Amino acid sequence: MGGYGDIQCIDENGIRLDGRTAEQMREVEIECGVIPVADGSARVKWGKNEVIAAVYGPMEAHPRKIQRQDRAILDVRYNMAPFSTTDRIRPGFNRRSREISKVTADALESVVDLELYPRSKIRVEIEIICAEAGTRCAGITAASMALADAGIPMSDMVVSVASGKVHDIVVCDLNKEEDNYGEADLPMGILPMTGELVFLQMDGDLNMEQFQQAWDYNMESAKEVHAIMVEALKRRYGGDE
Amino acid sequence: MTGDSTSNESGKGSTLVYPGQRLSADGSAQAGHGVRLIDGNLVAMKTGNMVRSGNTVTIEPLSSRYVPRASDLVVGYIEGMTNNIWFVDIGAAFNAILPMSLAPWKVEFGAVRQHLGIGDAILCRVQEVDETHSSVVTMKGMGLRKLKSGFIEEIPPHIIGKVIGKGGGMLQQLKSLGQSRMIIGQNGRIWIDGELSGMSETRKAMDVIRDTAHLPGLNERVAALATE
């Protein structure tokens, strides 16, 4: 990370390559119930990212050795489709998708009431259809939405947003160029009702002041995304209100 | 009480809520199904309709997995077997077991495959559910059998009431629409049998019910299919 090439991601007026200001998010669209055969599902369009998540379960956990006697297990699989980026991604699991699957599962386990379903499994599948920076954030958000659509009991919905730093300026919701050529990236998983954190990673360098600013951007953006998630649930279940 | 109202909230009413939504902080309400008390607040744990009945707040989920109860009539699929039991997928968190002693035939030990194979559909009844959520089903009973014809439609278990209707009215409407026989399993699986054209009409009606059960005017929408 950090300063490769001559790409100017933000100009002297604070306008970014895609026309946003430093604190603006990309456009987010969320729809749930997009996969009829799944117990719950959601599609998230976040900028040019497109992610579909599906939830199945709770179901019997197989093989038996993976069952936990006191709670369900959350089996999360994050995968990028080979056509999701300009360079073809080799199909199948790799280290990055394993890492993202694990952090997503850890984030969601903080809110899902797993003790209600001992010895069972809840399967979460996240498929990236189109990637343009911030896929793990869009994936976590989509998975949370799919769990809510499936009626899985949760204490809150997880919203994930990433802010970062380009040319020493903290910006909200990095796009592709900012992610590739910027100096820092701070994705976070937030519980919008309490402001608690369930997921945090950081690449690059941020001093305390910049970290605080990125934190604030993420918290504000999480509230906006949460409102969009609630609207999506109302459209699916509430009719024309 | 926060949430979007779909009807009068005084006393008994319903409101659409989402996971994490704070429902009440006045300390007087009690947490019912789908609601948890966290830091003095009643918090919705599921997406559904909040129903306040007296002092108790519950959530009627809008999407749910089947929870087996004893004496439920269910449609199951055979998922596997050992020498003396079948494992039956009844759409719950755990498979049920069908011991050979509760099958309608005289089954020899080790000969279970001759009667029911993997993928076969059966109409059975939940006999018991233990504290570990495992259930035992039986095929000994009137009408319980292997389902050899027709097809099985799946709907979310919480809208079975809509499919049956008041006094069985919707069910009668569906049967006459497609001139089909129908058996409704409590696990959301409905067996439909009859002429192909009729079953196709019934399937369309089931799609309408599945997609719009939460909206008013369901009877009219299904009746409109009969006139098309």
Side-chain angles (χ1 to χ4, degrees), chain B residues 112-131:
Chain B
V112 291
R113 282 174 207 273
Q114 294 174 12
H115 301 276
L116 290 172
I118 291 175
D120 283 345
I122 60 171
L123 187 64
C124 54
R125 198 173 289 280
V126 178
Q127 185 165 40
E128 62 178 87
V129 184
D130 68 18
E131 62 278 358

Side-chain angles (χ1 to χ4, degrees), chain A residues 63-218:
Chain A
R64 286 208 160 206
K65 64 179 182 182
I66 68 170
Q67 286 182 3
R68 291 188 63 173
Q69 297 303 312
D70 60 337
R71 52 191 285 170
I73 58 171
L74 206 57
D75 182 11
V76 177
R77 180 181 164 275
Y78 165 103
N79 186 61
M80 293 183 77
F83 51 79
S84 61
T85 55
T86 47
D87 289 331
R88 182 179 181 269
I89 294 178
R90 196 170 162 189
F93 249 17
N94 53 44
R95 280 188 185 175
R96 181 177 172 275
S97 55
R98 272 184 219 275
E99 178 218 331
I100 296 175
S101 300
K102 185 184 184 313
V103 299
T104 303
D106 288 345
L108 295 173
E109 279 177 7
S110 307
V111 293
V112 174
D113 199 350
L114 298 170
E115 282 82 15
L116 276 181
Y117 306 108
R119 299 184 300 113
S120 67
K121 174 174 82 172
I122 299 171
R123 186 159 67 99
V124 180
E125 304 274 353
I126 303 168
E127 196 76 15
I128 309 298
I129 307 299
C130 183
E132 195 244 350
T135 57
R136 75 183 64 196
C137 294
I140 290 174
T141 306
S144 181
M145 201 64 217
L147 286 166
D149 187 43
I152 304 290
M154 300 192 290
S155 58
D156 205 342
M157 293 196 281
V158 181
V159 182
S160 184
V161 190
S163 292
K165 185 172 77 171
V166 286
H167 307 302
D168 219 33
I169 300 169
V170 177
V171 296
C172 175
D173 192 19
L174 302 173
N175 61 29
K176 184 180 170 190
E177 289 78 17
E178 291 161 353
D179 192 35
N180 289 344
Y181 302 112
E183 290 117 39
D185 179 19
L186 184 75
M188 284 164 52
I190 297 160
L191 303 186
M193 299 308 289
T194 57
E196 289 172 292
L197 214 57
V198 293
F199 157 63
L200 183 140
Q201 290 181 303
M202 191 171 103
D203 287 329
D205 266 321
L206 289 169
N207 61 35
M208 273 312 298
E209 198 182 311
Q210 289 166 338
F211 182 89
Q212 186 62 53
Q213 191 166 13
W215 176 288
D216 293 340
Y217 280 162
N218 284 343

Side-chain angles (χ1 to χ4, degrees), chain A residues 39 57-60 113 118-119 148-155 193-194 226 230 234 236-237 239 241, chain B residues 4-5 16 18-20 22 36 43-47 62-63 65 92-95 132-134 214-215:
Chain A
D39 292 318
M59 59 175 68
E60 194 145 342
D113 199 350
R119 299 184 300 113
D149 187 43
I152 304 290
M154 300 192 290
S155 58
M193 299 308 289
T194 57
H226 184 248
V230 171
K234 283 183 197 168
R236 168 130 165 93
Y237 294 113
E241 290 182 57
Chain B
D4 285 324
S5 295
L16 181 67
Y18 51 85
R22 297 313 189 244
R36 186 75 57 86
V43 177
M45 297 292 286
K46 294 187 180 191
T47 305
L62 292 166
S63 178
R65 270 254 154 171
F94 298 98
N95 287 344
T132 63
H133 307 278
S134 296
H214 59 284
L215 302 173

